[in-house]
């Protein structure tokens, strides 16, 4: 998000998350918690089904697709945005603590996103994007 901004645009974008007493960032945290709860329910369902079914790669792929459609994709995007705006880190940490949002889960979700990022057709882009995102995760 910020990588595509030029000149004063990154600062303007970050200011959107700090205006009105951090309303937009508060909303991001609310969405994070909502989708985290939805994903926990999906994971429980998948784990119960896993006790019944024992399969190979196809089952792993189906589980991942079920998680994506159950809210993982939205959670990944929300957490990625949280990482991107972590340039205002002090505010981010304060709001996450107030909302009892686990920072560790944000890191884990974004790491999972990085593992499944892009396709193998554009290996160089994929590798660069993974390195950029992982460096943000490490700083978070």
């Amino acid at each position: 998000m910020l990588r595509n901004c030029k000149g004063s645009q990154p600062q303007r974008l970050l200011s959107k998350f700090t205006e009105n007493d951090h309303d937009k960032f508060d909303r991001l945290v609310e969405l994070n918690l909502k989708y985290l709860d939805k994903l926990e329910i999906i994971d429980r369902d998948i784990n119960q089904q896993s006790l019944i079914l024992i399969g190979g790669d196809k089952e792993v792929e189906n589980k991942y697709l079920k998680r994506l459609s159950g809210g993982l994709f939205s959670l990944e995007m929300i957490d990625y945005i949280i990482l991107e705006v972590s340039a205002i880190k002090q505010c981010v940490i304060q709001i996450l603590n107030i909302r009892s949002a686990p920072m560790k889960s944000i890191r884990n979700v974004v790491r999972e996103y990085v593992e499944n990022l892009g396709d193998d057709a554009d290996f160089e882009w994929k590798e660069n994007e993974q390195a950029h995102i992982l460096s943000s995760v490490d700083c978070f």
Side-chain angles (χ1 to χ4, degrees), residues 23 25-35 99:
D23 281 346
F25 191 78
D26 272 338
R27 181 67 179 140
L28 275 177
V29 174
E30 286 174 21
L31 290 171
N32 170 279
L33 295 173
K34 173 186 171 186
Y35 282 103
R99 296 280 187 161

Side-chain angles (χ1 to χ4, degrees), residues 95-109:
I95 292 171
L96 288 172
N97 287 335
I98 290 170
R99 296 280 187 161
S100 299
M103 290 176 49
K104 185 176 182 178
S105 75
I106 293 171
R107 286 187 202 108
N108 291 339
V109 167

Side-chain angles (χ1 to χ4, degrees), residues 13-115:
L13 180 61
L14 288 175
S15 70
K16 295 292 182 187
F17 288 93
T18 58
E19 65 189 17
N20 297 328
D21 200 28
H22 301 92
D23 281 346
K24 287 181 179 60
F25 191 78
D26 272 338
R27 181 67 179 140
L28 275 177
V29 174
E30 286 174 21
L31 290 171
N32 170 279
L33 295 173
K34 173 186 171 186
Y35 282 103
L36 199 55
D37 289 342
K38 285 178 75 171
L39 196 58
E40 286 176 7
I41 293 168
I42 296 292
D43 285 342
R44 268 189 253 127
D45 289 345
I46 289 172
N47 288 337
Q48 288 175 350
Q49 290 175 0
S50 294
L51 297 175
I52 300 167
L53 301 172
I54 299 174
D57 291 338
K58 190 71 170 174
E59 186 181 337
V60 171
E61 184 177 325
N62 286 337
K63 287 178 186 179
Y64 181 67
L65 291 174
K66 187 173 183 177
R67 292 183 79 221
L68 278 177
S69 64
L72 178 61
F73 178 75
S74 298
L75 183 63
E76 288 174 341
M77 295 298 102
I78 291 164
D79 288 352
Y80 182 57
I81 293 170
I82 289 172
L83 280 178
E84 284 282 314
V85 299
S86 67
I88 50 174
K89 190 169 185 161
Q90 194 60 35
C91 300
V92 169
I93 292 171
Q94 184 179 11
I95 292 171
L96 288 172
N97 287 335
I98 290 170
R99 296 280 187 161
S100 299
M103 290 176 49
K104 185 176 182 178
S105 75
I106 293 171
R107 286 187 202 108
N108 291 339
V109 167
V110 174
R111 282 190 181 109
E112 184 177 2
Y113 168 68
V114 168
E115 289 174 13

